[in-house]
């Protein structure tokens, strides 16, 4: 018996369906307001969250591998170097075609350096009257060697501290102008880029399926006519970056080659194509800058007939191209969808309180509404509750 | 007095607890439906969101540093080079063991090049009948130098344009086959990788704690027997990438070494171990490709006894290994948890409307339910409150 | 007529405003509990989600480009090398100043190597009694060449297998101590770093606007006095990483230079400044490690008077500096805001059930409350609706 009751209670609390009692008010003002807010929220979700922000998508960021290959030759005729043809192994550093490659455009050559002693290049730090002005073993950060402590003639008029160094010292005061390899703007670079989005096991290359090898042998990238050709003319890239190649070639700089792989993978794979853009990455403005441009020194080592090591020092100015691959892929996923929809639904539950407040504050019949909306019940509860007379109506409990 | 009232009102609205009046319907159908939907939603959250998607976790992506060290020697006996032993400093480029390293497997050697003039290698662009076919100063992108404007004998039968260049020119028509350093597949590479997840200040290395130095001296990576040995045999990696080393060695290519550090940091640190995988990154299919494989040219510079600069040009074919470190770590965080739970709770609030709709549409007693659920109140509201007037309005049917 | 009705119904269901009927209970206990939970949730959102976690922000991760330039000279006087001045092109590898650069601090020099045959360096693998112990063509991974199959005198007492190799072989048993270029700690490196957050089209450089070129020529990074000077003393960085330069210089290692660009872009751009930090990335502990420190071999190639290729092999120990740019930028965005607020609002909707449960379980008047809160309605529904008999209970006020 008792068990049966208990059992009933259980079932009741399990399957007894509770639904809030609603007060329906036929009042245009509130009704309109109510619907209006609802519509607004739903529109926001549909348009902004789903359509524009694609908040229903799970995202992954790109993994990429890049290889580059520069092509081109230049004939130069300089005082020191004489007639010289520059080919890729000479002007591309490092040679192995990584995602960041440097193209030599200008340089200062100092051949025949050997380990010995020679006077410093004159500067505020290195000029001297007597040995007293030079300290043996001192190595100026700005200097080009370690001082011997002697003060010697640099020229008829100038004396400078003597240094242990690779002599003769490089004198980089005047940079060749125009740039020695200014014609480098006609060089082309082939960029091979293969990317993947591991989370969606999506792989693709910047050499698209519809591109055939014959086309690749001849094409050059052009934003309008050949937007998918992976072969770029250096000059074009620098121009698109808003720079003047001949100027940049003098002191060098860094150009970023951005390959943008932003893709909506809910669309067919063929719509996922790279977008190329170019911009200068280093700070050319000399105001708050030191050593503007981009240069570095490297050397070729030889042994002369006396088997003494000599070297040719090259101060290389040029343009470093950094291939930077960006990308975020989005694909429908249930979790972000649920989260975003859910979160906005939560706002729908706010509409009622808002409208109630409006109704109970601004409507002339507010007292009536209040009376009907709220059933007051005080501590000293009366014994005749709502339900008891409900009892009278519905059979006995 | 008035103040006291006001004060009461305040307290009342502050501590007067409002709770919706609920209509309880003992109807199995609706009740079951109601519970069913609730259970579904809650299960979804528990299983999918929390368990599978780990949506309760905050995530961070990996920061990593890699260094590599290749080991191995090869004896070759070629026509040009003669007997030659290749050791690491010769065939690994660049030598300093970065995350991306190139292993030389095949090459075309052109020793004794000097700056001079010589006929071009015959090709559609370079063949000529007379000087008229050659333009002085022209530098073919496909060519190997700058034309002098003269048309000279390349062989008894063929005439080609003369070029300023590093002569003799490299002739890369026929690539050594089999690959000169085909045995490179027996080389091993030690990969040291240290990662961190800054957000969780978590650091780890791919040389795990339980690995001791004696083991490291002898082990080789094997997915089954030695999955945590950081020393890899080149051949094994290429095989796992689904390629044939001897084939790949001919023209080179790019292999990605993926180190996957996906970790659930709610588990103890020891469960966070790297997973290694390998795949080919470049496009070997020659159909929509140019210069398949991977090669580059570099040169060694010498001075001959007349102190003239000569060089040995090496067209290097080989395999570039890119060590790519992936990883996302997750750790419990209250914000995503709240967001995901909350968002799903919002759906629970949808259950009622749905069931109401079901109840008021499909149940036979729908009118009764409606009558009890909704209390109608019209614009022309009278002063008698809800109940009584409701009575008069509906009266008995 | 029927149409008119239908039309009315439509309007009614469109603009008829439904609001739940609320039971108001003036009970301090429940009231307080109710407000308390509400306040807690709201506080959580305000303080934690919004203020601390900045969950109202959309985030983007950093894109960066780095160039480095080392400065300094050292005079060494070693047995083999003699007096030698080391300048940047010699001790910085690779020279082109990329984000990861290596500074030579110690080395083992093996000049005059040529392709020939010589006895192996004695070791457990290479020692032999007779030719039988050596296999022609065998190339030990640990060895330095390819065995000829002969067993020859290494010294008066020791016999080792003969190898084809670059002879004389390098003997790297004893490393110079103290480090040859230990003074490298006084070298300085200029780091230029330009970053961007594409999503917010935000660009910045680590050379800040207020820094002028004169300051840059003289300053050195100091966490306290010069926190924004982009010129770093190698010694300082190693010290900040908690290492001893003189010790590290012996066998080398890897130092991470972290540039942290975490920015709240809701604040003015000037507040977005890089934070520098340094830490050792490789594993110095020899216990579970192989080849601790950081070293690699490279060589300079020469031709002697007989035009035979010789080389100087250099085993380079030194410190590799990896510039690692971190950064996440946040900016207000409506979607995450909505999602986070919404999600938490969903919790507010939980407060009522909780309080109801509390009220209906622990309050002494719980039966009364229950009676008023729930209107029971059974399957066998009678025709008299709620309202009418509600009338009988609450008469007119």
């Amino acid at each position: 018996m008792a068990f049966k009751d208990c059992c009933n209670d259980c079932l009741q609390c399990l399957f007894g369906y509770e639904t809030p009692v609603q007060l329906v008010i036929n009042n245009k003002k509130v009704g309109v307001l109510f619907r209006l807010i609802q519509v607004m929220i739903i529109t926001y979700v549909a348009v902004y969250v789903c359509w524009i922000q694609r908040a229903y998508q799970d995202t992954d960021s790109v993994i990429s591998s890049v290889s580059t290959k520069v092509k081109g030759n230049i004939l130069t005729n300089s005082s020191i170097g004489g007639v010289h043809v520059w080919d890729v192994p000479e002007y591309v550093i490092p040679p192995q075609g990584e995602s960041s490659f440097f193209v030599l455009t200008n340089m200062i050559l100092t051949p025949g350096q050997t380990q010995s002693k020679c006077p410093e290049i004159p500067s505020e730090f290195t000029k001297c009257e007597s040995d007293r002005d030079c300290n043996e073993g001192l190595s100026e950060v700005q200097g080009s060697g370690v001082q011997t402590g002697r003060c010697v003639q640099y020229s008829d008029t100038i004396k400078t501290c003597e240094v242990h160094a690779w002599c003769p010292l490089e004198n980089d005061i005047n940079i060749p102008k125009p740039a020695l390899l200014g014609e480098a703007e006609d060089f082309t670079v082939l960029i091979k880029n293969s990317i993947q989005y591991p989370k969606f096991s999506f792989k693709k290359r910047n050499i698209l399926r519809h591109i055939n090898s014959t086309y690749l042998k001849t094409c050059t990238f052009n934003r309008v006519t050949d937007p998918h050709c992976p072969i770029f003319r250096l000059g074009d890239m620098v121009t698109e970056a808003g720079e003047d190649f001949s100027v940049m070639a003098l002191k060098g700089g860094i150009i970023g080659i951005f390959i943008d792989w932003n893709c909506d993978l809910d669309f067919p794979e063929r719509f996922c194509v790279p977008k190329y853009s170019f911009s200068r990455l280093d700070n050319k403005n000399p105001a708050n800058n030191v050593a503007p441009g981009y240069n570095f020194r490297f050397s070729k080592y030889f042994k002369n007939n006396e088997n003494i090591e000599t070297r040719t020092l090259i101060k290389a100015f040029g343009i470093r191209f950094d291939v930077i691959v960006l990308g975020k892929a989005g694909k429908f996923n249930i979790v972000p969808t649920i989260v975003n929809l859910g979160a906005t639904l939560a706002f729908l539950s706010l509409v009622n309180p808002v409208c109630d407040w409006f109704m109970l504050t601004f409507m002339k019949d507010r007292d009536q509404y209040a009376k009907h909306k709220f059933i007051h019940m005080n501590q000293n509860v009366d014994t005749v509750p709502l339900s008891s007379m409900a009892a009278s109506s519905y059979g006995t409990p």
Side-chain angles (χ1 to χ4, degrees), chain A residues 324-336:
Chain A
I324 297 172
V325 179
L326 315 170
K328 225 172 198 50
K331 196 172 189 140
F332 171 81
N333 180 297
I334 190 67
V335 170

Side-chain angles (χ1 to χ4, degrees), chain A residues 3 37 45 55 66 78 89 112 162 165-166 173 249 265 297 302-303 320 322 331 341 347 356 360 365 371-372 383:
Chain A
F3 169 75
I37 302 182
V45 179
V66 172
S78 70
E162 189 188 52
W166 286 93
I173 276 85
L265 297 184
R297 289 185 182 79
F302 306 104
K303 279 198 172 158
R320 194 179 91 192
D322 291 355
K331 196 172 189 140
L341 286 187
F347 279 88
D356 289 347
L360 300 170
D365 303 328
K371 280 217 194 68
H372 291 79
T383 50

Side-chain angles (χ1 to χ4, degrees), chain A residues 20-92:
Chain A
V21 176
Q22 301 270 24
L23 174 68
V24 183
I25 298 170
N26 290 331
N27 177 314
K28 294 263 173 306
K29 286 208 202 67
V30 190
V32 169
L33 178 67
F34 182 61
R35 297 295 172 200
L36 199 69
I37 302 182
Q38 276 185 328
V39 169
M40 272 168 49
I41 293 179
I42 287 160
T43 329
Y44 158 79
V45 179
V47 175
Y48 192 73
V49 176
C50 293
W51 190 33
I52 297 175
Q53 289 275 346
R54 305 220 302 272
Y56 57 85
Q57 288 188 325
D58 189 12
T59 62
D60 190 12
S61 44
V62 72
I63 302 294
S64 118
S65 158
V66 172
S67 73
T68 60
K69 204 181 185 69
V70 180
K71 272 206 154 71
N73 300 299
I74 286 187
L75 182 75
T76 64
N77 193 344
S78 70
S79 52
I80 307 166
V83 174
H84 193 104
V85 171
W86 297 86
D87 58 1
V88 177
E90 256 185 308
Y91 65 71
V92 174

Side-chain angles (χ1 to χ4, degrees), chain A residues 23 25 352 356 359-360 368-375:
Chain A
L23 174 68
I25 298 170
N352 253 322
D356 289 347
M359 175 178 78
L360 300 170
Q368 293 303 333
Y369 296 139
K371 280 217 194 68
H372 291 79
K373 180 170 170 58
F374 299 111
I375 299 170

Side-chain angles (χ1 to χ4, degrees), chain A residues 211 215-216 218-232 276:
Chain A
I211 296 180
Y215 172 71
L216 279 176
T218 57
C219 73
T220 310
F221 174 83
N222 177 308
R223 196 162 292 298
V224 183
T225 61
D226 299 84
H228 295 319
C229 173
I231 298 171
F232 303 84
Y276 301 95

